[in-house]
Amino acid sequence: MLRELFTPSVQHSLDIIGIFVFAISGALLAVRKNFDVFGIAVLAEVTALGGGLFRDLVIGAVPPAAFTDLGYFLTPLVATVLVFFLHPEVERIQGAVNVFDAAGLGLFCVTGATKAYDFGLGLTASAAMGLATAVGGGVLRDVLANEVPSLLRWDRDLYAVPAMVGAAMVVVCIRFDALNAATSTFAAATAFLLRLAAMRFHWRAPRAWNRRSSAVEEA
C-alpha cells in the first residue's frame, strides 16, 4: 500500500528530508548539552532514525531500513557536520527548522501507520506505530540527553497530539478503503498544520483536574 501512494523515489526523498530535520534537532540539543562530536552524531542518529527503527523491529521489517539504506545512515552525519561547524547560524534559523520538523512529524506519522498496516497490524496498532514513528526518536533523544521527554512535559506545545491525529486519519481512511495519495497527503498536512498552530498559539494538553501538586517546573 505504501508503494502505491508515492513512487519509490518520491518516498525516499521525503524520508531523507524528514530524517535530516530530525537529525538537526538532535544535534542542536547535543550542542546545548555541551556534547563532543561523537555525542552530537549519536544524538543526531538516534533522533532521526529511532522512531523508524523501533517501528521496523516491532512489525518484523528486518533488517530495518536504517541498516539497509546507506542514505538513511549518512544523512544524520551530514546534519552533525553542519551543526558542529555552523550551530550559531542554525540556531538563528530555529524557526525554519521547527517548521521542517513539523513537516517530518506529519510525514512520519502517515508512513509509519501505513507501513505497520502493510505488515499485518490492525488499525489501532497501526495508528500507534504511526505515532511511535513520528515521536520515538525525540523521546530517545531526550532520554539520552538526561531530560524529561518533551511530549511528557506540560509546558511544551502539543507534539504527540498532531501525530496521533494524522495517524488516526490514516487508519480511518484504510478502514473505509479511501487511502490514496490525496488522503494520505491530507492526513500529513493536517498533522503538520496542527503542530504549527500549537507552536504559534502555544496549545498544551490539560493537566490533571483539580490538581493539588505543589511541584514547580524546573528551569
Side-chain angles (χ1 to χ4, degrees):
M1 182 179 293
L2 187 57
R3 292 180 180 179
E4 296 173 359
L5 299 179
F6 304 104
T7 64
S9 60
V10 170
Q11 179 62 45
H12 188 265
S13 298
L14 292 173
D15 283 346
I16 292 296
I17 293 170
I19 286 170
F20 181 76
V21 295
F22 280 177
I24 288 288
S25 70
L28 285 173
L29 178 59
V31 170
R32 296 185 193 111
K33 289 287 186 176
N34 203 30
F35 287 6
D36 62 17
V37 64
F38 181 75
I40 297 172
V42 168
L43 226 57
E45 292 280 356
V46 166
T47 307
L49 304 177
L53 181 62
F54 173 77
R55 176 204 61 214
D56 287 351
L57 292 176
V58 169
I59 67 179
V62 291
F67 294 105
T68 59
D69 189 316
L70 189 60
Y72 286 13
F73 181 79
L74 292 180
T75 298
L77 296 183
V78 173
T80 297
V81 173
L82 179 66
V83 171
F84 183 81
F85 289 106
L86 300 174
H87 63 88
E89 288 75 13
V90 176
E91 288 277 12
R92 281 197 287 270
I93 60 169
Q94 184 64 53
V97 172
N98 288 339
V99 171
F100 283 107
D101 182 84
L105 183 82
L107 170 67
F108 283 176
C109 71
V110 169
T111 58
T114 307
K115 185 172 183 178
Y117 186 78
D118 282 346
F119 276 79
L121 268 65
L123 296 178
T124 302
S126 295
M129 282 297 99
L131 173 62
T133 304
V135 306
V139 171
L140 292 174
R141 172 201 65 205
D142 292 342
V143 169
L144 289 177
N146 197 31
E147 290 197 347
V148 176
S150 295
L151 81 166
L152 299 181
R153 293 179 57 170
W154 69 269
D155 63 328
R156 299 296 173 89
D157 302 330
L158 293 179
Y159 192 78
V161 171
M164 290 172 62
V165 171
M169 292 175 66
V170 169
V171 298
V172 169
C173 288
I174 292 173
R175 172 65 180 80
F176 292 100
D177 196 26
L179 188 67
N180 52 45
T183 55
S184 60
T185 299
F186 181 69
T190 299
F192 169 62
L193 293 174
L194 281 175
R195 173 57 181 161
L196 289 185
M199 290 189 294
R200 173 65 177 83
F201 299 108
H202 302 296
W203 292 345
R204 293 168 184 172
R207 288 184 283 174
W209 185 256
N210 289 331
R211 188 175 58 95
R212 293 289 187 266
S213 173
S214 58
V216 296
E217 181 62 26
E218 295 180 1

